[in-house]
């Protein structure tokens, strides 16, 4: 459903992505891994329309996505949890969730969806009047995920959800991601934690300084000797 | 005598607060200062004066039409000169809005000539007595309308979808976009709302002030001081800052010299910034 072909992009004179091609199919969980500065966040920002590209194509169910403004992509069902979570710190928890139901696509069902999220994350219900900025890192990640789910995403894009979280919370987050995947939502997951990411995903791409160095089924990547040596220190 | 000056100050402070709240809405969402805010106040005065001349109605009855006109003017100015510079460095915004201020004054001068105009209301001749304090009705009405307007703005920001989207835009433009918010439209709305607040302040001033093209100048300076005093982007801070500025001005004016009043306001600003560089209600440096 999402297809990127030969994407070249960068900041000013600095080119960050070189002929990157990537696709995510319906119901698929795809991971994008790579070292710091490889260009993962840049790629996700292109999907959300926050960044312009130099050349290449990007389509959504065959339609040109590049021509569509960032603010209209939420209505397609693309929900993006940016690096650093992107919760609105000055708004309270409830307002954050209500904002997820701002787009026309889910506006009518948002209260229903928010109730479902409160069942899934009772902590959030307790804290619904609290300013999001005062939540703990783990709670903020939960809020970010809940907010994305209120949007009833067709494609959920996550940028390093494990960043800055304690191992036990990371486990919780990945359990949640697993449940979302099993419910049939397509996922594009960026992670530094390669083994966790490949365990959760069906397929993976390895990005090295802006170039897709390897791609394939998760099992194959997991057992690949080069990857083991380079990323897992085995 | 002191009580009288304090009341006078609070009432004038209410008008200052309203202009400053307008500036604050624009700053909060767009992170830029509108240097034509005083001229927008002037436009509001002229709109009230012109409609008053044409219909013979009291300016207070004209509040809704004048606010509507000001909102449309705000939208028009936004799409003409502000929209093209959205996303460019803040200095561009300073230059453009300063230029806009000159243009607005010149245009009004061309149309209506630089002569002083007045709006006559019956309210002007009635004073309200509170013990030893007597207050001109227009000033009391101005203060009341200010309170109502500020409460309405707060309610709008807190409780409506559009208001919530504006707060989201103010905090994080990119996240707001990813949630489906048309941030451009929110900028236009915030700008027009700020202009409307300035215009409303202008209308409220017509019974007590002469209407002339440069009338906005002193209000512009003082409202900027108030916005900084209150902490950039805080509506509560702008209201409190406005009231403080009004009281300081009135007390200094009554006891020392009216010429010294602005100096007193600046002195307070310097003192507040010395102890709280982010202003009374400021949250410190914010991420864009
Ligand atoms: N706003 C920007 N302006 C200029 N250069 C940038 C900007 N954002 C990122 N870069 C550069 O682009 C390159 C790729 O950055 P990007 O954030 O996409 O990497 P990443 O793979 O997400 O890294 P990390 O794992 O550390 O988050 C880096 O070299 C970075 O310095
Ligand atoms: Mg990144």
């Amino acid at each position: 459903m999402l297809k990127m072909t030969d994407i070249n992009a960068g900041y000013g004179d600095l080119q960050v992505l070189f002929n990157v091609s990537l696709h995510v199919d319906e119901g698929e969980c795809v991971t994008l891994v790579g070292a710091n500065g490889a260009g993962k966040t840049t790629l996700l920002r292109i999907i959300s329309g926050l960044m312009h590209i130099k050349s290449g194509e990007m389509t959504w169910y065959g339609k040109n996505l590049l021509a569509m403004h960032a603010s209209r992509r939420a209505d397609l069902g693309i929900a993006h949890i940016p690096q650093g979570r992107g919760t609105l710190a000055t708004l309270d928890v409830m307002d954050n969730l209500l904002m997820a139901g701002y787009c026309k696509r889910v506006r009518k069902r948002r209260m229903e969806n928010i109730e479902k999220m409160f069942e899934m994350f009772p902590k959030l219900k307790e804290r619904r009047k609290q300013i999001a900025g005062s939540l703990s890192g783990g709670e903020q990640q939960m809020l970010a995920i809940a907010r994305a789910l209120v949007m009833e995403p067709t494609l959920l894009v996550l940028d390093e959800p494990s960043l800055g979280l304690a191992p036990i919370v990371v486990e919780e987050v990945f359990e949640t991601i697993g449940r979302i995947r099993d419910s049939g939502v397509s996922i594009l997951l960026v992670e530094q934690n390669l083994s966790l990411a490949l365990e959760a995903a069906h397929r993976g791409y390895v990005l090295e300084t802006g170039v897709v160095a390897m791609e394939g089924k998760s099992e194959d990547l997991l057992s690949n000797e080069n990857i083991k040596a380079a990323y897992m220190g085995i | 005598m002191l009580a009288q000056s304090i009341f006078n100050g609070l009432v004038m402070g209410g008008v200052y607060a309203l202009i400053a709240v307008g500036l604050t809405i624009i700053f909060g969402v767009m992170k830029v200062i509108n240097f034509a805010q005083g001229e927008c106040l002037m436009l509001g005065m002229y709109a009230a004066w012109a409609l008053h001349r044409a219909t013979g109605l009291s300016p207070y009855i004209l509040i809704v039409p004048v606010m509507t006109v000001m909102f449309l003017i705000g939208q028009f100015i936004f799409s003409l000169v502000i929209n093209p510079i959205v996303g460019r460095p803040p200095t561009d915004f300073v230059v453009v809005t300063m230029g806009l201020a000159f243009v607005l004054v010149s245009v009004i001068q061309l149309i209506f000539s630089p002569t002083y105009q007045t709006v006559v209301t019956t309210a002007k001749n009635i004073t309200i007595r509170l013990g030893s304090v007597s207050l001109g009705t227009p000033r009391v009405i101005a203060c009341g309308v200010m309170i109502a307007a500020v409460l309405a703005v707060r309610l709008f920001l807190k409780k409506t979808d559009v208001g919530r989207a504006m707060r989201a835009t103010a905090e994080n433009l990119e996240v707001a976009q990813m949630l489906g918010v048309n941030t451009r439209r929110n900028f236009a709305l915030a700008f027009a709302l700020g202009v409307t607040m300035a215009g409303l302040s202008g209308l409220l001033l017509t019974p007590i002030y002469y209407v002339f093209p440069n009338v906005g100048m002193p209000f512009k300076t003082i409202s900027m001081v108030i916005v900084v005093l209150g902490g950039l982007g805080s509506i509560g801070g702008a209201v409190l800052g406005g009231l403080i500025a009004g009281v300081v001005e009135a007390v200094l004016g009554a006891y020392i010299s009216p010429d010294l009043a602005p100096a007193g306001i600046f002195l307070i600003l310097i003192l507040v910034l010395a102890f709280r560089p982010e202003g009374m209600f400021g949250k410190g440096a914010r991420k864009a």
Side-chain angles (χ1 to χ4, degrees):
Chain A
M1 54 193 212
L2 175 74
K3 194 165 162 56
M4 303 174 90
T5 320
D6 291 329
I7 301 277
N8 285 287
Y11 302 89
D13 287 339
L14 173 76
Q15 185 160 356
V16 173
L17 296 176
F18 302 85
N19 290 315
V20 171
S21 297
L22 172 151
H23 65 98
V24 181
D25 291 332
E26 244 165 288
E28 202 182 22
C29 179
V30 175
T31 187
L32 177 67
V33 294
N36 288 116
K40 308 179 295 292
T41 298
T42 305
L43 187 100
L44 298 193
R45 287 169 57 80
I46 292 169
I47 295 175
S48 282
L50 301 176
M51 196 171 147
H52 295 293
I53 63 168
K54 295 201 169 75
S55 68
E57 276 178 39
M58 180 162 67
T59 57
W60 177 258
Y61 286 104
K63 266 187 289 189
N64 180 13
L65 192 53
L66 290 169
M68 195 173 249
H69 189 261
S71 65
R72 290 181 52 218
R73 297 187 194 185
D75 264 323
L76 296 176
I78 299 178
H80 181 166
I81 303 178
Q83 193 163 342
R85 304 185 188 107
T87 48
L88 295 161
T90 57
L91 273 62
D92 64 27
V93 169
M94 192 63 187
D95 279 345
N96 265 277
L97 294 171
L98 285 170
M99 275 312 296
Y102 182 83
C103 55
K104 284 187 214 75
R105 192 164 155 272
V106 294
R107 173 92 55 111
K108 280 199 216 86
R109 292 183 299 277
R110 70 175 169 185
M111 288 320 286
E112 232 174 278
N113 294 355
I114 290 172
E115 274 311 315
K116 271 187 222 156
M117 286 307 117
F118 282 158
E119 268 166 45
M120 198 162 159
F121 307 107
K123 258 269 176 47
L124 291 182
K125 187 169 187 177
E126 272 168 45
R127 308 263 152 120
R128 66 186 180 282
K129 293 255 169 68
Q130 198 171 319
I131 296 293
S134 67
L135 298 177
S136 76
E139 288 162 357
Q140 286 195 31
Q141 189 63 60
M142 288 305 163
L143 175 59
I145 293 176
R147 193 176 70 186
L149 291 182
V150 170
M151 294 171 78
E152 296 179 8
T154 336
L155 174 67
L156 177 62
V157 178
L158 297 116
D159 198 344
E160 300 199 32
S162 72
L163 197 74
L165 300 181
I168 180 145
V169 185
V170 172
E171 230 170 84
E172 250 178 79
V173 169
F174 270 85
E175 252 170 54
T176 311
I177 293 173
R179 264 186 286 159
I180 299 169
R181 173 201 59 207
D182 295 339
S183 74
V185 175
S186 306
I187 297 177
L188 179 57
L189 170 66
V190 160
E191 255 303 329
Q192 297 268 355
N193 190 328
L194 195 97
S195 49
L196 261 180
L198 285 172
E199 268 164 41
H202 302 118
R203 272 192 313 120
Y205 292 83
V206 180
L207 200 61
E208 266 170 27
T209 54
V211 179
V212 175
M214 242 178 293
E215 60 174 291
K217 286 210 174 95
S218 295
E219 308 88 89
D220 299 342
L221 291 177
L222 264 173
S223 56
N224 185 297
E225 294 303 325
N226 292 334
I227 291 186
K228 275 187 188 167
Y231 293 95
M232 293 191 257
I234 306 174
Chain B
M1 168 80 170
L2 181 64
Q4 176 71 52
S5 332
I6 290 178
F7 268 94
N8 281 345
L10 283 177
V11 163
M12 198 58 204
V15 177
Y16 291 156
L18 194 53
I19 315 167
V21 166
L23 265 184
T24 299
I25 294 171
I26 298 176
F27 180 84
V29 175
M30 302 180 70
K31 308 289 178 267
V32 289
I33 299 257
N34 175 22
F35 280 83
Q37 190 76 350
E39 284 65 28
C40 293
L41 172 140
M42 178 271 291
L43 286 184
M45 288 184 93
Y46 271 95
W49 169 75
L51 283 176
H52 166 74
R53 280 269 305 251
T55 62
L57 292 172
S58 147
Y60 300 120
I61 294 173
L62 296 170
I63 284 183
V64 174
V66 168
M67 283 179 79
T68 312
V69 167
M70 289 308 293
F71 188 81
L72 294 176
I73 290 177
Q75 292 269 357
F76 177 71
I77 292 177
F78 181 88
S79 47
L80 199 67
V81 294
I82 308 295
N83 196 32
I85 56 165
V86 166
R88 296 178 58 94
T91 40
D92 288 27
F93 203 86
V94 175
V95 173
V96 166
T97 55
M98 278 186 163
L100 175 67
F102 285 117
V103 170
L104 292 177
V105 170
S106 311
V107 167
I108 290 297
Q109 222 159 56
L110 272 178
I111 302 177
F112 297 108
S113 86
T115 12
Y116 285 41
Q117 314 282 357
T118 48
V119 172
V120 186
T121 61
T122 46
K124 196 172 182 175
N125 306 319
I126 307 166
T127 46
I128 296 171
R129 300 205 135 270
L130 275 172
S132 63
V133 179
S134 70
L135 295 165
T137 312
R139 291 175 186 260
V140 176
I141 294 180
C143 209
V145 172
M146 182 279 287
I147 293 169
V150 171
L151 289 178
V153 165
R154 275 195 66 101
L155 204 66
F156 163 73
L157 289 175
K158 273 247 171 301
K159 295 288 175 202
T160 67
D161 273 319
V162 180
R164 208 176 283 118
M166 271 172 77
R167 281 188 288 144
T169 308
E171 187 188 321
N172 192 325
L173 196 70
E174 292 191 340
V175 168
Q177 286 185 351
M178 292 194 293
L179 293 170
V181 176
N182 184 336
T183 48
R184 225 17 110 109
R185 218 163 51 205
N186 270 279
F187 280 4
L189 189 58
F191 188 81
L193 212 54
V195 168
T196 307
M197 292 288 132
L200 177 61
S201 324
L203 174 143
L204 295 170
L205 284 173
T206 49
I208 33 180
Y209 262 78
Y210 287 111
V211 182
F212 58 99
N214 272 314
V215 66
M217 274 301 216
F219 292 101
K220 170 154 67 178
T221 325
I222 209 161
S223 60
M224 277 184 215
V225 171
I226 291 165
V227 169
V228 178
L229 191 66
L232 290 159
S234 154
I235 289 181
V239 171
L240 193 63
L243 296 178
I244 290 177
V247 170
V248 168
E249 185 186 63
V251 172
L252 280 183
Y255 285 90
I256 305 177
S257 149
D259 297 336
L260 224 66
I265 295 172
F266 278 101
L267 189 67
I268 298 244
L269 175 70
I270 292 167
L271 285 177
V272 167
L273 292 187
F275 293 102
R276 276 189 67 88
E278 65 278 17
M280 293 185 300
F281 282 59
K283 296 182 186 78
R286 276 215 202 149
K287 273 182 272 171

